[in-house]
Amino acid sequence: TGMVLKSPEFPKNYFVPGRMAMTCCEADMTFLGFICKAREARNLETKQWVKVRAKIAYEFWPDYDGVGPVLYAESVEPAQEIKDNVLYKIVSPSGLVLDNRLNTDNSSNVYLAADAKESKGQYWRLMRYKDLYVIYNPFVNKSFDIGTSRAIEEPIGVWDVSRANGNQQWVLTPKGKDRYEIKHNNAQLLLSFKPADKAGSKVYTLPASETDGVWRLKPTSEKLPPENVHGKACLLYTSPSPRDRQ
C-alpha cells in the first residue's frame, strides 16, 4: 500500500507508489518509492492511496542512474489512507469496537464493547513508525503491547506508548474497503478476540490458523487532546514493559 506520485516526465502508464520515510530524523522525511507500470496509471492522482500487487524486474531506469526495481502491476486498487491526526474506532466483524475502558494501569486489557461516542477508551490513534504502526489511546497514552513468548496464551495489554518498543509495533495489511488485517510485527500473530465476537470478550493475538484478523477502521471526528496534536511528547520512550524481559 502506498501513495501515488505522478509526473509529466514519466512515460505513459507509469507512476510511483511510495511512502514518506524517515532516513535519519523527522526533519529528513522524504518520499521513497519504485517506478511502476500499470494500465490504471492514467486514472490515478498524486497523493491518492492505492494497494498494488506487482511483479518486480531489475531494469535500467533513468532516475535510478542505472539498474533498479521496476514494478509491473497486476492490480491497482484504491486504499484507505490512515491519517496520523485522526482518531479511529477499530471495529470487529459484528460491529463491536475495541475499548481499554480508559484504564491508566500498565498491563490492563482491551475489550470488545458496543460503540459509544462518549467512551474515550474506544478512540485509537495509529502512529506510523517506519512501515509499522503503534496503536494507542491518546487520552491515557497507552498502546497495544504484547510480549512474544506467551503472546498466544495471554490477552494483549496496554503499556506506556513508545514507537521504539518492538512489543508495540503492528503491521496493517489492507483487506478491502476500510478493512485491515492487524498483525504483531515480531510475534507474527493476528489481533483477534476470545471466546467470541461479543461484548466483554478480551482481545488476544492468535495464529492465522485460528482467525482472519480483519478489522474495520472507522474514522471519527473526535479531537486529539492538545498534548497529542503534534505526536511527539507522548511517543518518548518511558518505562520498559516487564514482557520485554521474558
Side-chain angles (χ1 to χ4, degrees), residues 22-182:
M22 184 170 61
T23 56
C24 176
C25 60
E26 249 182 304
D28 293 326
M29 293 290 286
T30 188
F31 185 83
L32 298 178
F34 300 123
I35 194 70
C36 179
K37 184 176 183 180
R39 62 180 180 275
E40 299 90 347
R42 65 172 68 91
N43 299 319
L44 302 177
E45 298 180 1
T46 293
K47 294 188 177 181
Q48 178 182 351
W49 282 80
V50 292
K51 178 183 177 182
V52 178
R53 181 183 296 273
K55 292 183 178 179
I56 303 176
Y58 288 89
E59 302 175 357
F60 175 82
W61 187 260
D63 291 335
Y64 295 157
D65 291 324
V67 174
V70 177
L71 308 182
Y72 287 88
E74 296 179 341
S75 65
V76 179
E77 302 172 357
Q80 176 188 20
E81 176 187 3
I82 299 175
K83 297 182 178 179
D84 176 64
N85 60 348
V86 170
L87 295 181
Y88 291 87
K89 297 284 184 84
I90 302 177
V91 187
S92 77
S94 74
L96 298 174
V97 299
L98 299 189
D99 190 338
N100 80 330
R101 300 177 177 175
L102 222 57
N103 196 323
T104 59
D105 295 334
N106 283 330
S107 293
S108 56
N109 297 129
V110 179
Y111 301 85
L112 292 177
D115 191 343
K117 180 176 175 58
E118 68 279 4
S119 293
K120 294 192 183 299
Q122 298 180 358
Y123 292 97
W124 302 93
R125 187 180 187 187
L126 283 72
M127 178 67 71
R128 183 180 293 280
Y129 179 74
K130 300 180 180 178
D131 285 333
L132 308 173
Y133 288 90
V134 172
I135 304 172
Y136 77 102
N137 183 296
F139 298 101
V140 290
N141 285 338
K142 301 295 180 183
S143 172
F144 291 179
D145 184 298
I146 74 166
T148 57
S149 60
R150 291 183 295 161
I152 298 177
E153 291 82 7
E154 295 183 350
I156 70 166
V158 294
W159 200 264
D160 298 332
V161 63
S162 166
R163 287 189 297 184
N165 186 343
N167 288 351
Q168 299 183 12
Q169 295 168 355
W170 301 81
V171 178
L172 272 68
T173 304
K175 292 293 182 179
K177 181 175 173 56
D178 301 340
R179 285 167 170 76
Y180 288 83
E181 173 192 87
I182 302 178

Side-chain angles (χ1 to χ4, degrees), residues 181 189-193 205-215:
E181 173 192 87
L189 298 169
L190 300 177
L191 194 72
S192 191
F193 39 78
T205 46
L206 299 175
S209 60
E210 296 183 27
T211 180
D212 62 10
V214 175
W215 301 79

